[in-house]
Amino acid sequence: MKIFQYEMKKLLLNKNRLVLLVVLFLIYILVAWLSSKGQFELSGQEGKQAISEYTSLMSEHTGKLDQEQLAKSQEARDKAIAEHGTGEELSMKINRDPELKFNMRYAQFGQKVNEYWNGPAEQNKADLRGVYPLQEKLTELKASGQTDSFEYKKYSSRLDTELAIGEPVFENAVFWNCFFIRFDGFMVVFLLLLVLTYFISPLFTQEVRTEMDSIVLSTVKGRKEVVTAKLLTAAVSGAVVTAVYLVGSFIGTFIGYSDLSGMNATLRSMDGFESSMLQLSAGGTALLGSLWLIFAAITFSLALAYISSKMKSQSAAFGLGMVILLAGSMSNYFSNGIKELIWPVVDFNFGSLAMFNVIFGQSKIYNLFGMPLSYAMAALVVSLILCAAAILLTYLAQKKRTVV
Amino acid sequence: MKLTIENISKSYGKKQALIGINFEMDNGVYGLLGPNGAGKSSLIRILAGVMEASSGEILINGMNRKKCEREYRSKLGYLPQSLDFYPEFTGQDYLLYIAALKGLKGAAAERKVMELAEQVRLTDDLHRKSVNYSGGMKRRLGIAQSLLNDPEILILDEPTAGLDPYERIKFRNLISLISRDRTVLLSTHIVSDIDSIAKQTVMIKVGKIGKMQTNESFVHAMDGKVWLVMMTVDKLVEYQNNHIISNVLPIGDRMEVRVVTDDKPFPDAVAAVPTLEDAYLYEFHNEEGTL
């Protein structure tokens, strides 16, 4: 415990790092505030009025799909597109007109309900969506006696979940939609994981820099207990920095929007979670998302601890950590052909593992020896394997470490 | 505690740093004397368990160290040649951290830290950041950490580097005091560090060591090989190029030169009482690049 306390002091609980943490906290608030403020391209009283009007319209129409309102909204949307096209001009118009913004959103909601029943317009034949297409496919598979097949199990499970979740409901959840942007890959990689790389990289390398490794390695607790303390320090530091990121983002979003409505809205009604299989409210999802992000940050921190244990300098550890992080994240931007070839890297790199909205927002299923395995479950298993491997390899590295 | 070094060799690629080192130590201070680059630090690191030997073994009371690694480290105190400190730590933090690594707990650790800080005269500076200490203070802090666990085996690599003469004497006295019931190996290229306190000394040059002997034996072997000669400065300039000169003392317009040589160098040369430093110079003067 004492060793852990001192390791924490070396890595996080010292004046320089705490000042840096406070600065980061302020940056996180600022970024989230600016992002949520960007709901409307209006400032001052006009901006506040626009948000208020928009919020009222959203609240007035919460509930199941109203066909009459949908027709009105579609008409307003089509009129706006006819007048302003689909480009920049339309975006500007939407960001200045709360009523049009609402109508666009309601029309989009109508599309979501339609997709819930009929699936997306461009249906992926290998991965069907929508209640009716699923029912049809299951009937077809049943008729051909394939009820034991992976495909039947997958679609049967998906249909059950779809029916249990039910048809999307319109909700005023603008705050939560803004907050969930904080879980986006780009935000997480650049605002959180890169920062973590900087924080964790000196974990072992500072022993080399200060030439303290000779003394540490010669002590009775210098091969095993010190590793336990350092790994714990990396995990706690990862969790603390992530908590700072989440709290800062929450406060910044709240300052920008000042309305927590929609906490009980279903996850399906949130942007980007239309295909999610989670039966959670927006508030519950925010909590789960936060816990997941902390877990993903801990996984990454433990991997960084191992990298640090193998490097001679902090800059080398930071550089390698950054390369692994960015190379993995960049794989998401490859062509589909390459992505299919290197799918384990694409789906389970550290950037992807931290992307809660992708992992829990998609209905992606893996075939594990004939059993359907959800992306969330697969990501959890892979993360746990990565944690265990990082821990074991770090112990091994310290056991074999020598000073030259 | 009996520490036996058996046939230890170490190579870095093609370069042989240590070649078949053998010696034995029990309680008392032992000196490891040799010029820079002779292999002292490699041997010290192997003994401290922070470097692997290419071959050979170290025995603790007859048992291979690898079989009692943890026990060995619990009995070991080590001061490496160069050492820096964590920028966030005060002197006290540093000592308490090392105490924790050495398995000392709570009040016992704090008591030991205060006791050693007193011995190395750092009590008043314990709450200062250790990176801001002077070179001598850093060295004293390093010495204090090596003693935290009351080690039965104490390995010190160039411990007096950066210490002023007073601190050096205090250090020697401290080592003499604690060496009664433990094994101390003191590696240095400063002969005076071990001249008065080492029970036995072993000299190391280009990876090979000589016989472990008492300092008296080294000095005794130099009888009749140290001479005092008076000569002019011009003569000295010419003479020192191919002779071992251990000291030069100006007397009037001439120089009293201390010459280390097998034969009487001049008819008027006067025999001098040899010292360990003379023995060191005699031992190493032919080593290319070492003197």
Side-chain angles (χ1 to χ4, degrees):
Chain A
M1 194 61 191
K2 206 75 185 165
I3 303 173
F4 168 64
Q5 282 173 13
Y6 283 112
E7 291 296 340
M8 280 300 290
K9 185 167 185 173
K10 280 195 268 177
L11 200 72
L12 190 70
L13 302 179
N14 59 69
K15 196 177 156 191
N16 290 344
R17 290 302 175 99
L18 289 175
V19 168
L20 180 60
L21 216 51
V22 170
V23 172
L24 282 169
F25 183 59
L26 296 175
I27 291 173
Y28 293 151
I29 290 177
L30 187 70
V31 170
W33 175 64
L34 288 174
S35 170
S36 59
K37 203 171 167 283
Q39 284 280 320
F40 287 98
E41 286 174 12
L42 298 167
S43 54
Q45 197 54 40
E46 266 189 320
K48 280 183 186 170
Q49 207 174 331
I51 288 177
S52 170
E53 197 180 330
Y54 180 59
T55 311
S56 299
L57 284 166
M58 295 283 282
S59 300
E60 277 169 29
H61 294 88
T62 53
K64 285 207 161 202
L65 183 70
D66 178 347
Q67 292 294 345
E68 201 178 320
Q69 179 57 47
L70 178 63
K72 279 185 200 168
S73 292
Q74 281 172 338
E75 191 186 334
R77 179 195 61 187
D78 295 344
K79 193 179 163 197
I81 289 173
E83 272 179 39
H84 305 285
T86 52
E88 187 68 18
E89 198 185 321
L90 180 67
S91 299
M92 281 176 68
K93 176 74 182 161
I94 291 169
N95 287 336
R96 286 169 183 274
D97 182 346
E99 195 176 342
L100 178 59
K101 195 178 183 80
F102 160 74
N103 281 322
M104 296 297 283
R105 194 161 188 87
Y106 205 86
Q108 197 183 14
F109 166 64
Q111 181 71 20
K112 271 191 205 177
V113 174
N114 181 47
E115 282 182 14
Y116 171 78
W117 292 109
N118 300 309
E122 288 182 20
Q123 185 77 269
N124 179 355
K125 300 280 180 201
D127 192 34
L128 294 174
R129 303 259 185 85
V131 171
Y132 298 145
L134 286 171
Q135 284 173 337
E136 274 174 38
K137 184 71 181 176
L138 285 169
T139 310
E140 187 187 308
L141 289 168
K142 204 172 179 179
S144 58
Q146 294 182 60
T147 50
D148 281 339
S149 68
F150 166 75
E151 205 177 14
Y152 186 87
K153 287 177 194 165
K154 181 175 98 171
Y155 289 137
S156 176
S157 160
R158 184 173 292 177
L159 180 63
D160 289 346
T161 311
E162 291 285 359
L163 293 172
I165 292 172
E167 187 185 285
V169 175
F170 192 73
E171 301 274 6
N172 169 24
V174 181
F175 170 86
W176 299 99
N177 276 326
C178 280
F179 182 59
F180 286 143
I181 294 172
R182 306 292 107 205
F183 295 90
D184 179 70
F186 178 81
M187 296 287 175
V188 167
V189 168
F190 285 95
L191 292 178
L192 176 63
L193 298 185
L194 268 184
V195 170
L196 266 183
T197 311
Y198 174 76
F199 267 84
I200 310 290
S201 56
L203 186 68
F204 281 90
T205 58
Q206 65 180 337
E207 312 297 356
V208 182
R209 181 178 59 79
T210 57
E211 300 184 72
M212 273 297 295
D213 48 351
S214 294
I215 291 177
V216 172
L217 291 172
S218 72
T219 61
V220 71
K221 295 188 174 181
R223 297 273 178 183
K224 200 162 81 179
E225 288 84 347
V226 78
V227 178
T228 308
K230 279 181 184 290
L231 288 171
L232 204 56
T233 301
V236 171
S237 300
V240 168
V241 176
T242 311
V244 167
Y245 173 77
L246 289 164
V247 173
S249 297
F250 190 90
I251 292 172
T253 310
F254 185 75
I255 293 172
Y257 200 68
S258 312
D259 183 0
L260 290 176
S261 298
M263 189 189 267
N264 296 319
T266 58
L267 184 58
R268 281 283 178 97
S269 57
M270 300 290 126
D271 294 346
F273 289 94
E274 292 82 1
S275 307
S276 174
M277 291 293 165
L278 280 184
Q279 299 176 48
L280 282 176
S281 66
T285 307
L287 186 65
L288 178 68
S290 300
L291 292 174
W292 178 268
L293 194 57
I294 288 171
F295 171 64
I298 289 173
T299 305
F300 184 55
S301 299
L302 292 175
L304 287 171
Y306 171 63
I307 291 169
S308 179
S309 75
K310 297 298 284 181
M311 294 288 125
K312 297 279 180 209
S313 72
Q314 183 184 349
S315 49
F318 177 71
L320 184 60
M322 200 169 70
V323 166
I324 289 173
L325 177 65
L326 295 182
S329 298
M330 294 291 279
S331 67
N332 285 296
Y333 300 100
F334 290 152
S335 67
N336 285 341
I338 297 175
K339 274 161 73 171
E340 274 173 29
L341 276 176
I342 55 163
W343 66 266
V345 177
V346 177
D347 290 356
F348 302 111
N349 66 70
F350 288 108
S352 297
L353 286 175
M355 278 191 257
F356 169 80
N357 50 355
V358 175
I359 292 170
F360 291 92
Q362 291 184 358
S363 55
K364 191 185 277 188
I365 298 286
Y366 296 93
N367 181 351
L368 183 73
F369 307 118
M371 293 296 291
L373 183 69
S374 68
Y375 190 9
M377 189 52 75
L380 178 68
V381 171
V382 170
S383 296
L384 288 173
I385 290 170
L386 286 173
C387 281
I391 290 168
L392 287 173
L393 288 170
T394 310
Y395 276 112
L396 199 64
Q398 184 75 350
K399 192 180 174 187
K400 291 179 178 264
R401 183 190 281 264
T402 57
V403 177
V404 180
Chain B
M1 175 69 68
K2 191 174 182 180
L3 194 62
T4 311
I5 288 92
E6 267 190 14
N7 212 23
I8 289 286
S9 292
K10 175 71 186 173
S11 54
Y12 301 102
K14 285 181 182 172
K15 193 194 168 201
Q16 279 281 98
L18 297 171
I19 306 158
I21 305 286
N22 289 286
F23 64 89
E24 204 171 86
M25 297 183 289
D26 50 22
N27 289 347
V29 180
Y30 292 81
L32 179 63
L33 206 53
N36 291 329
K40 296 192 302 293
S41 289
S42 293
L43 180 58
I44 287 284
R45 284 173 183 161
I46 289 167
L47 285 171
V50 299
M51 182 189 270
E52 282 291 315
S54 303
S55 63
E57 55 185 26
I58 292 163
L59 306 174
I60 321 296
N61 292 332
M63 185 190 280
N64 191 318
R65 187 183 67 184
K66 285 180 180 165
K67 289 180 181 164
C68 55
E69 192 71 49
R70 207 172 159 86
E71 193 191 345
Y72 177 71
R73 281 192 273 128
S74 72
K75 291 175 177 172
L76 179 73
Y78 172 48
L79 174 67
Q81 186 177 359
S82 55
L83 179 63
D84 204 347
F85 297 92
Y86 304 117
E88 307 82 15
F89 279 17
T90 62
Q92 187 173 35
D93 287 336
Y94 175 76
L95 289 176
L96 284 171
Y97 173 64
I98 303 293
L101 285 172
K102 292 189 171 197
L104 274 72
K105 286 177 186 162
E110 283 171 22
R111 214 169 27 247
K112 192 70 191 172
V113 164
M114 294 313 291
E115 181 191 316
L116 285 167
E118 184 70 33
Q119 284 190 23
V120 298
R121 297 186 301 116
L122 282 175
T123 310
D124 295 338
D125 297 288
L126 272 185
H127 295 287
R128 282 177 54 206
K129 290 273 171 71
S130 49
V131 281
N132 296 328
Y133 282 9
S134 68
M137 288 165 82
K138 283 181 179 174
R139 209 64 196 150
R140 282 185 274 146
L141 189 63
I143 291 165
Q145 68 75 25
S146 70
L147 297 168
L148 276 166
N149 56 332
D150 283 325
E152 288 182 40
I153 304 160
L154 184 59
I155 297 173
L156 306 164
D157 197 359
E158 307 282 2
T160 59
L163 297 185
D164 63 33
Y166 177 76
E167 289 168 343
R168 203 168 268 198
I169 292 164
K170 287 280 288 182
F171 167 75
R172 280 207 299 261
N173 294 344
L174 175 64
I175 296 300
S176 284
L177 191 71
I178 63 170
S179 66
R180 284 171 302 173
D181 52 357
R182 67 192 87 202
T183 306
V184 181
L185 178 63
L186 201 158
S187 160
T188 184
H189 61 278
I190 303 166
V191 178
S192 60
D193 278 353
I194 54 171
D195 199 0
S196 54
I197 59 168
K199 181 176 167 183
Q200 290 189 77
T201 296
V202 64
M203 293 199 189
I204 182 166
K205 51 183 175 183
V206 283
K208 293 179 184 172
I209 59 160
K211 194 180 160 196
M212 176 81 87
Q213 295 179 62
T214 61
N215 291 346
E216 290 74 26
S217 304
F218 278 113
V219 172
H220 186 65
M222 294 301 293
D223 281 346
K225 290 177 179 167
V226 184
W227 307 88
L228 294 175
V229 183
M230 296 300 289
M231 59 178 76
T232 62
V233 175
D234 292 343
K235 177 80 177 165
L236 173 62
V237 169
E238 186 189 328
Y239 188 76
Q240 69 181 0
N241 289 334
N242 42 21
H243 291 86
I244 310 167
I245 311 290
S246 70
N247 196 37
V248 176
L249 182 68
I251 298 176
D253 59 349
R254 300 183 79 198
M255 299 285 165
E256 186 191 72
V257 181
R258 190 179 175 91
V259 183
V260 182
T261 178
D262 287 328
D263 304 311
K264 192 173 183 177
F266 295 100
D268 60 343
V270 179
V273 178
T275 63
L276 188 60
E277 200 163 59
D278 296 322
Y280 177 83
L281 282 172
Y282 184 76
E283 189 74 23
F284 291 107
H285 79 283
N286 278 333
E287 290 306 319
E288 196 179 332
T290 56
L291 282 177

